[in-house]
Amino acid sequence: MPIAVGQPAPEFTLKDQNQKEIKLADFAGKRNVVLIFYPLDFSPVCSNEHACFVNDLKQFEKLDAQVLGLSVDSVWAHKAFAEKMGISYPLLADFHPKGAVADKFGVYLADKGITGRAVAIINKAGKIAWFKNYDISVVPDMNEVAQALAGVK
């Protein structure tokens, strides 16, 4: 079951593509978080999804949000993907134990060994303010995510 709106977001610490530890708690009281769960680096739909987030990053920053990507790929795969795609926001490696953080949010697909596609907006209080699961083959609508973010108090 996916996590429900209003619930506290599960705390986590994961390494990004630059080997930096990123903690969800680091953003508490400071910024909203747009947490992008996606299956795999370099897959066609994921590449399109991240191209959209890269293009719209300024819009999310204006809405006082930190964008974070998360998949089961390693930090090394994330580094290569970020360099190829021009991604400046952290890509978090939910690599070992595989999918542990995604599982806490209810989006790890154990039968496939990948993270499902979903977007969670976590407010400054650390609660799930908006959450949507997407089909693996669907790129999330950036306007929908931005509108949901704009409504977060």
Side-chain angles (χ1 to χ4, degrees), residues 12-15 37-38 69-75 78 91-105 107-108 113-115:
F12 61 81
T13 302
L14 292 173
K15 287 192 176 177
F37 295 95
Y38 66 101
L70 186 148
S71 81
V72 297
D73 291 296
S74 70
V75 292
H78 282 337
L91 295 179
L92 306 177
D94 195 8
F95 185 70
H96 185 72
K98 190 174 186 181
V101 173
D103 194 45
K104 289 179 186 177
F105 283 82
V107 297
Y108 180 62
I114 59 173
T115 309

Side-chain angles (χ1 to χ4, degrees), residues 3-105:
I3 197 162
V5 169
Q7 283 186 290
E11 184 49 51
F12 61 81
T13 302
L14 292 173
K15 287 192 176 177
D16 73 1
Q17 68 268 34
N18 298 311
Q19 299 278 348
K20 180 181 175 197
E21 281 196 347
I22 304 291
K23 296 178 185 173
L24 183 58
D26 291 343
F27 305 103
K30 298 174 191 160
R31 297 184 87 185
N32 297 310
V33 173
V34 176
L35 185 55
I36 311 161
F37 295 95
Y38 66 101
L40 294 167
D41 293 336
F42 297 104
S43 65
V45 177
C46 295
S47 294
N48 290 341
E49 176 180 20
H50 283 283
C52 292
F53 274 103
V54 167
N55 290 340
D56 289 350
L57 191 58
K58 293 221 181 308
Q59 179 181 7
F60 290 103
E61 288 171 347
K62 282 181 191 168
L63 292 168
D64 199 23
Q66 173 65 55
V67 173
L68 302 173
L70 186 148
S71 81
V72 297
D73 291 296
S74 70
V75 292
W76 307 113
H78 282 337
K79 185 158 186 67
F81 186 57
E83 287 173 2
K84 180 180 189 304
M85 299 296 299
I87 296 169
S88 60
Y89 50 85
L91 295 179
L92 306 177
D94 195 8
F95 185 70
H96 185 72
K98 190 174 186 181
V101 173
D103 194 45
K104 289 179 186 177
F105 283 82

Side-chain angles (χ1 to χ4, degrees), residues 108-114:
Y108 180 62
L109 306 175
D111 59 325
K112 293 181 171 79
I114 59 173

Side-chain angles (χ1 to χ4, degrees), residues 23 133 141 143:
K23 296 178 185 173
N133 261 315
D141 180 335
N143 290 329

